[in-house]
Amino acid sequence: MFKTRLLSGIMLVAIALLTIISGGYVLFFTLLLVSLIGMRELFRAMKVREEKWNLLEATGYLGAVFYYISLLSDFEKYGMMTVILSLVLIMFVYVFTYPKYNAQQIMATFFGVIYVAVMLSFVYLTRNLPEGKFLVWLIFLCSWGCDTCAYCVGMLIGKHKMAPVLSPKKSVEGAVGGVAGAALLGVAYAAATSGPMAEYAVICAVGSLISMVGDLAASAIKRNQDIKDYGTLIPGHGGILDRFDSVIFTAPVIYFMAKLVLSI
């Protein structure tokens, strides 16, 4: 199991390196594909999709595609417009096929557009910022770095449970270690790339805090739906949402923190 997980992790890192360094359309279409797969996993978990695809699920995908198209033109001008359009399309399906779908399925569909497609798109948006080729890696330093540091510190000295019902193995000490570790990684990354150390440390610290919320949020959804993993696409890791649960929350935070702290 460890060998499978390790090999899958190496493959994920290789793909991330290739797509993020390339940027542009390579990153755009990769994120769109990842978003659609992630939405499919969420739709299955939240019973939007039963045994086969349906009109409501397809409308959710269409909303995500419209949103991503807006990124190619002007995100600030058309981004929110396409999000609202997605909601309108979903409600259109709801009212004109009533009572085929219930309100919970409708809300889950729109939630999927926001939670997966919109949130993940900030990887692309961060990559397109000035100095984005450096800033975008802060997303992964925050999320995956915090996770690793929190796990190590928690295993060594963790005593106080952070969320005993939701995630009994996570500790307060681990969380503190994760935030501190992410901040130190930010400093090290700044030194390696000639970036501003204090600013990178702050961005990584805040991003790591939010990444833990993302991790716990994904766990909460899985517990509510009584499933262990969202999927089996990534051997040893589960589905897209199992591996990118913290990245989903961290990406928008890094984007806005970079604009705020670095005045981009």
Side-chain angles (χ1 to χ4, degrees), residues 138 186-187 190 195-205 257-258 260-263:
L138 295 178
V187 171
M197 290 189 180
E199 287 84 347
Y200 276 21
V202 170
I203 291 172
C204 283
M257 284 291 293
L260 178 66
V261 175
L262 302 177
S263 300

Side-chain angles (χ1 to χ4, degrees), residues 104-123:
Q104 287 76 18
Q105 289 174 305
I106 298 301
M107 289 184 283
T109 304
F110 185 60
F111 174 69
V113 175
I114 302 297
Y115 176 61
V116 184
V118 173
M119 300 283 269
L120 274 178
S121 74
F122 280 90
V123 175

Side-chain angles (χ1 to χ4, degrees), residues 30-194:
T30 300
L31 283 172
L32 175 57
L33 177 61
V34 168
S35 294
L36 294 175
I37 295 172
M39 288 173 66
R40 181 178 182 274
E41 293 175 353
L42 186 68
F43 290 163
R44 288 177 66 89
M46 301 189 75
K47 306 298 187 295
V48 173
R49 177 191 180 101
E50 298 293 344
E51 294 182 359
K52 58 182 181 179
W53 77 279
N54 55 50
L55 180 59
L56 181 59
E57 179 187 13
T59 305
Y61 298 147
L62 184 63
V65 171
F66 282 156
Y67 170 77
Y68 265 82
I69 290 174
S70 76
L71 303 184
L72 295 176
S73 50
D74 189 331
F75 165 70
E76 294 187 356
K77 183 181 292 185
Y78 300 113
M80 181 56 67
M81 182 182 75
T82 51
V83 168
I84 294 173
L85 175 62
S86 298
L87 177 59
V88 171
L89 290 174
I90 291 167
M91 296 305 292
F92 185 92
V93 172
Y94 182 37
V95 298
F96 287 104
T97 62
Y98 189 85
K100 184 175 182 179
Y101 305 107
N102 59 51
Q104 287 76 18
Q105 289 174 305
I106 298 301
M107 289 184 283
T109 304
F110 185 60
F111 174 69
V113 175
I114 302 297
Y115 176 61
V116 184
V118 173
M119 300 283 269
L120 274 178
S121 74
F122 280 90
V123 175
Y124 175 78
L125 291 169
T126 303
R127 177 65 175 81
N128 287 347
L129 287 174
E131 298 300 314
K133 62 182 179 180
F134 299 117
L135 293 172
V136 70
W137 296 107
L138 295 178
I139 295 171
F140 300 96
L141 281 178
C142 288
S143 53
W144 294 346
C146 173
D147 187 48
T148 301
C149 292
Y151 175 79
C152 293
V153 173
M155 287 291 290
L156 290 172
I157 61 172
K159 292 182 179 180
H160 301 87
K161 304 299 183 184
M162 183 171 66
V165 176
L166 182 57
S167 188
K169 294 183 179 180
K170 287 183 170 58
S171 66
V172 174
E173 293 83 358
V176 173
V179 174
L184 289 174
L185 285 172
V187 171
Y189 182 67
T193 59
S194 300

Side-chain angles (χ1 to χ4, degrees), residues 1-10 235-237:
M1 181 64 179
F2 174 76
K3 183 179 179 181
T4 301
R5 186 178 178 87
L6 178 62
L7 291 174
S8 297
I10 293 172
H237 293 268

